[in-house]
Amino acid sequence: MRVPTLPKFGFRLPRLLPRLAPGQMTRLLGAALWAAFWILALTTVAAVLLFIFVAFVPLGPMGLTVTTGEGGTNVPVPRAYILFAVGAITAYLGGFTLILRHLRVMIRTLRMGDPFQPANVSRLKQIGATLAVVTGGAWVGQYMVSRLVRGELEPPSIFDLITPAFSILVVFVLAEVFREGARLRRESELTI
């Protein structure tokens, strides 16, 4: 059965992106992932160093200045709150650094022309699990902060998890697609 073609109206939509040669997009993605990985890795190391500094170096009383229309108020902030915030930021950055590391290795296998490797299946599953932990941790952290500053910050809604949960499901579905691709490749190698 032939698929019908749409009639031409005499005009074409302009190209938004220039044509890329085969493999050029993979190189572009590899370079972008390389830069993002190193920026996040260095930021994560800086956050770890800040956490160690705040945890072990004695500091004077810390405060947060809240400015209102009538002036400013200095609110004391306990060291535990600061450690929690710096630790949460460190974990968040570390999680995304781990995800970028896995993506870089997957791009490398794509450049070699063999993306359907069993190792990429486990990498995708690890990416999905890391996304789930980071998303859940961020949601719980926002909820805890909203409970600490009652009335100043709205607690997160369960509906804030819909888009991240969908993204996590997409990653796990892709892992299964890669698993099936690796199985088919292995079967075709055995039949030859």
Side-chain angles (χ1 to χ4, degrees):
M1 179 175 161
R2 290 178 44 124
V3 177
T5 59
L6 295 174
K8 297 194 187 247
F9 295 112
F11 65 91
R12 290 190 329 175
L13 294 176
R15 273 196 183 279
L16 298 178
L17 294 174
R19 284 189 192 259
L20 297 175
Q24 204 170 12
M25 181 58 93
T26 306
R27 272 190 233 117
L28 182 65
L29 283 173
L33 286 172
W34 179 86
F37 171 78
W38 284 109
I39 289 170
L40 265 179
L42 292 174
T43 307
T44 303
V45 168
V48 167
L49 293 175
L50 178 64
F51 183 83
I52 292 170
F53 179 80
V54 171
F56 295 112
V57 173
L59 300 171
M62 293 180 237
L64 180 68
T65 303
V66 179
T67 307
T68 62
E70 301 154 2
T73 305
N74 193 8
V75 179
V77 178
R79 172 177 257 169
Y81 290 2
I82 294 172
L83 280 174
F84 173 76
V86 173
I89 290 169
T90 303
Y92 192 80
L93 292 172
F96 282 108
T97 303
L98 181 66
I99 289 171
L100 287 177
R101 181 178 156 268
H102 288 309
L103 287 175
R104 286 184 62 209
V105 175
M106 289 179 68
I107 286 289
R108 200 172 305 135
T109 62
L110 180 62
R111 251 194 241 147
M112 291 185 318
D114 189 18
F116 293 108
Q117 296 179 357
N120 281 346
V121 175
S122 65
R123 286 184 191 107
L124 278 170
K125 288 181 180 179
Q126 289 174 6
I127 287 171
T130 304
L131 274 175
V133 168
V134 167
T135 300
W139 192 86
V140 168
Q142 288 174 356
Y143 182 78
M144 290 174 62
V145 168
S146 72
R147 299 293 294 172
L148 291 174
V149 292
R150 294 175 193 255
E152 299 297 321
L153 183 67
E154 282 289 319
S157 167
I158 196 75
F159 295 109
D160 294 337
L161 293 175
I162 290 175
T163 302
F166 182 73
S167 301
I168 292 164
L169 286 174
V170 166
V171 170
F172 280 114
V173 167
L174 282 175
E176 289 304 307
V177 168
F178 269 69
R179 186 184 61 76
E180 185 65 18
R183 184 187 67 79
L184 290 173
R185 190 195 72 187
R186 192 171 42 248
E187 283 182 5
S188 71
E189 288 172 353
L190 292 175
T191 57
I192 294 177

